[in-house]
């Protein structure tokens, strides 16, 4: 993976240890060119040739921190942290691309549209947004700066794999990353698989 300073989108800004119920991670903070702050949770030596267990997780305040059952983000984050802890080695790139890139307030607006019967894609569109506005160049730069050479990616999203490969990330394997559904996220998961091609 490319690590030339001229292509860097992120400044590696701070680092500490992060004890969690699953493992004590290294927490590495990055700042992008727009001033947005992102983090990587790192465990073990991720610079060797053995492919690194990895998750590229997009921020979801409602799911990651507020236990929302509208989506599967919280359980996916926890499962990723557990799997990395179990493996003793891995990286979780936590990208601040809330609401698939439209931001928190717009995601709340999109949820309000879904309360009226639209699905997650239609709700974005009626608000004038692309269904998925995320970009993964920041994750690619994070992996490069962390010295990661290749990854085994925990995801159900084929577009995420394609986008990362396009950016030069060597994704050698996909690890399915399903979680138990709830009555509240059944339709959301169905739409993800029908309209985004998620392998659920
Ligand atoms: N705009 C919008 N964003 C949502 C909605 N539900 C979840 N999100 C955001 O979607 C992102 C997570 O994407 P997902 O589609 O759940 O999963 P993924 O990252 O594409 O794929 P996986 O790697 O398999 O988890 C987070 O940024 C969430 O905040 C929604 O209804 N509308
Ligand atoms: Zn979510």
């Amino acid at each position: 993976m490319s690590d030339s300073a001229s292509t860097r989108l992120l400044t590696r800004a701070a680092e500490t240890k992060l004890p969690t119920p699953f493992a004590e991670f290294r927490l590495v903070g990055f700042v992008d060119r727009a001033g947005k702050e992102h983090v990587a949770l790192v465990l073990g030596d991720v610079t060797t040739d053995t492919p690194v267990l990895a998750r590229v997780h997009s921020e979801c305040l409602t799911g990651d921190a507020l236990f929302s059952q509208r989506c599967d983000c919280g359980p996916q984050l926890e499962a990723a942290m557990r799997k990395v802890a179990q493996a003793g080695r891995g990286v979780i790139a936590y990208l601040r691309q809330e609401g698939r890139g439209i931001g928190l307030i717009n995601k709340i607006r999109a949820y309000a549209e879904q309360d009226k019967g639209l699905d997650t894609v239609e709700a974005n569109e009626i608000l004038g947004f692309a269904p998925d506005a995320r970009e993964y160049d920041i994750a690619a730069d994070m992996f490069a700066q962390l010295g990661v050479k290749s990854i085994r990616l925990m995801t159900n999203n084929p577009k995420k794999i394609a986008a990362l490969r396009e950016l030069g990330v060597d994704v050698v394997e996909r690890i399915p990353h399903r979680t138990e559904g709830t009555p509240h996220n059944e339709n959301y998961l169905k739409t993800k698989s029908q309209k985004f091609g998620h392998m659920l």
Side-chain angles (χ1 to χ4, degrees):
M1 298 184 201
S2 149
D3 189 23
S4 104
S6 59
T7 59
R8 274 186 193 153
L9 302 173
L10 295 171
T11 304
R12 187 170 171 158
E15 186 168 336
T16 187
K17 58 186 179 180
L18 190 76
T20 73
F22 320 112
E24 183 169 297
F25 292 88
R26 260 191 307 136
L27 182 69
V28 185
F30 296 88
V31 184
D32 71 21
R33 286 175 181 166
K36 205 153 195 186
E37 300 167 328
H38 309 267
V39 292
L41 290 166
V42 183
L43 189 68
D45 182 358
V46 296
T47 64
T48 62
D49 285 341
T50 311
V52 174
L53 184 61
R55 166 96 184 134
V56 173
H57 191 88
S58 305
E59 179 177 19
C60 177
L61 181 90
T62 46
D64 297 341
L66 303 177
F67 306 95
S68 168
Q69 296 186 325
R70 295 190 79 125
C71 61
D72 53 348
C73 302
Q76 280 190 317
L77 179 60
E78 182 175 332
M81 291 174 75
R82 283 185 190 279
K83 287 185 198 169
V84 167
Q86 207 167 19
R89 179 171 177 266
V91 174
I92 298 170
Y94 190 97
L95 311 180
R96 309 293 299 286
Q97 309 198 83
E98 173 61 70
R100 294 199 296 269
I102 67 174
L104 178 60
I105 297 301
N106 285 323
K107 185 178 77 170
I108 296 172
R109 292 187 178 120
Y111 279 154
E113 295 298 331
Q114 291 169 64
D115 294 340
K116 296 184 226 159
L118 298 188
D119 70 30
T120 183
V121 168
E122 294 161 348
N124 263 36
E125 285 171 346
I126 208 159
L127 295 171
F129 298 111
D132 188 344
R134 286 177 293 177
E135 284 176 15
Y136 296 102
D137 47 358
I138 281 170
D141 195 27
M142 238 184 225
F143 289 133
Q145 293 203 37
L146 292 169
V148 171
K149 297 190 176 81
S150 64
I151 62 171
R152 300 165 61 228
L153 187 66
M154 295 179 268
T155 185
N156 306 316
N157 183 347
K159 292 204 182 102
K160 191 182 283 185
I161 300 170
L164 287 167
R165 283 189 174 143
E166 188 81 9
L167 289 158
V169 178
D170 186 6
V171 183
V172 297
E173 187 187 347
R174 174 185 86 94
I175 314 281
H177 202 55
R178 297 189 201 97
T179 57
E180 291 219 349
T182 72
H184 304 285
N185 69 18
E186 199 179 320
N187 281 334
Y188 173 67
L189 296 180
K190 206 180 285 172
T191 305
K192 282 215 299 192
S193 94
Q194 286 169 352
K195 294 199 171 174
F196 289 121
H198 281 235
M199 296 169 273
L200 293 167

